[in-house]
Amino acid sequence: MEYTSARGASWREAASRAGRVLLPRRRRRGWSLLVPLIALVAGLLMTTTAHTAAGTALRDDRGPELSRLIEERRKQVAAGELQAAQLRGDIDAQTGAQAGSDSRIAEQRARANVVREEAGFTALHGPGLVVRLDDAPRRPDGSLPAGAGVDDVVVHQQDVQSVVNALWAGGAEAMSIMDVRVISTSAVRCVGNTLLLHGQVYSPPFVVRAIGDPEAMRRALDAASGVRAFAEAARVWGLGYDVASQGDITVPAYSGSVDLDHAQVAG
């Protein structure tokens, strides 16, 4: 039996109409709670972003700023090295003046002068080789050679090191990279496609000058596996690799710091 109201409507129909009326009200009450919460979260995010940005645009390219900082540090290093060289010159001058009246200073100065040439503190000249390494040129449209990646067309740290080691193995008596004297504590490092040597940054082409027997050093270059690999890359990808003999090469004296930062005993 189904009960009906006075107007003839069943109780099921009445319940259905009541549900349809109440449901929108429940939904409206739910949204009324969510809207302030969403606004609160959005305000918190905006405040955090403004604090992090500190008045700058977060999406701006920071490349120019980084380049400026690197250039400033490079100038500071160059100024510091110039000041250090001037101070070393003053010390040498005062030591020489004292050597005229102090036999002990004169004796130590004479002993130091014997090894100055071997240590790289005097300029040398003589026959030798000039080795030039360069990145591969880009095409007119800026694209890379077909099949080449970015690493295939630039000079790497190991390429310069391979040339330097081969020249020493070939009997080089003195050497410079980018007209900077290479001594026993010199370290060849690359940052991207730039060379870092004694605190200075150099861009390709990288020029290595070595005094010694040109033919012996050529044979050493041809025998070094790392140099052969770079020569093959130069043939395939178009990198620059040139070896030239010269009758008189000048290698400057070393003028940097002689302080030893750290050392490790080989086990």
Side-chain angles (χ1 to χ4, degrees):
M1 172 180 284
E2 184 176 272
Y3 295 94
T4 60
S5 64
R7 295 182 179 180
S10 69
W11 64 270
R12 291 189 178 90
E13 293 177 354
S16 177
R17 286 196 298 269
R20 288 195 297 270
V21 172
L22 291 177
L23 184 57
R25 292 180 180 177
R26 291 194 185 98
R27 288 178 179 175
R28 284 196 295 270
R29 284 199 296 272
W31 277 109
S32 66
L33 294 176
L34 286 176
V35 169
L37 180 61
I38 293 173
L40 177 62
V41 173
L44 180 62
L45 289 176
M46 293 177 63
T47 302
T48 303
T49 302
H51 179 73
T52 303
T56 63
L58 290 178
R59 293 188 178 183
D60 282 353
D61 184 9
R62 300 297 178 90
E65 177 69 13
L66 180 59
S67 299
R68 184 185 65 81
L69 291 176
I70 292 174
E71 181 63 19
E72 288 182 357
R73 295 298 182 268
R74 188 192 67 79
K75 291 180 178 179
Q76 291 174 1
V77 170
E81 289 187 345
L82 178 60
Q83 183 180 12
Q86 293 172 345
L87 292 174
R88 284 193 294 269
D90 293 342
I91 292 173
D92 289 341
Q94 294 180 18
T95 302
Q98 291 293 327
S101 58
D102 192 320
S103 59
R104 292 174 300 177
I105 294 179
E107 180 183 355
Q108 294 300 323
R109 186 177 177 84
R111 291 179 58 187
N113 287 335
V114 172
V115 297
R116 283 182 66 84
E117 180 175 320
E118 296 180 359
F121 290 92
T122 58
L124 296 176
H125 69 92
L129 291 181
V130 178
V131 183
R132 182 177 179 274
L133 302 92
D134 198 2
D135 295 346
R138 293 294 183 100
R139 295 180 175 182
D141 61 354
S143 62
L144 297 173
V150 176
D151 289 338
D152 297 322
V153 296
V154 297
V155 181
H156 293 280
Q157 176 176 318
Q158 62 267 25
D159 302 323
V160 181
Q161 288 176 333
S162 297
V163 169
V164 170
N165 292 337
L167 292 172
W168 286 130
E173 301 171 10
M175 192 184 309
S176 69
I177 302 175
M178 306 301 286
D179 293 325
V180 177
R181 184 66 174 267
V182 177
I183 62 174
S184 59
T185 57
S186 299
V188 177
R189 297 186 179 92
C190 285
V191 181
N193 69 330
T194 60
L195 177 68
L196 179 63
L197 181 63
H198 298 308
Q200 295 293 324
V201 179
Y202 303 93
S203 299
F206 304 129
V207 180
V208 183
R209 292 181 170 86
I211 295 175
D213 183 350
E215 294 305 319
M217 291 189 292
R218 278 184 181 273
R219 290 193 295 268
L221 288 172
D222 294 339
S225 59
V227 178
R228 290 201 307 270
F230 182 79
E232 177 64 16
R235 185 187 66 81
V236 174
W237 305 121
L239 291 96
Y241 177 62
D242 180 70
V243 182
S245 300
Q246 286 190 4
D248 191 15
I249 294 175
T250 299
V251 173
Y254 177 74
S255 60
S257 174
V258 295
D259 293 338
L260 185 64
D261 295 330
H262 65 275
Q264 180 177 353
V265 178

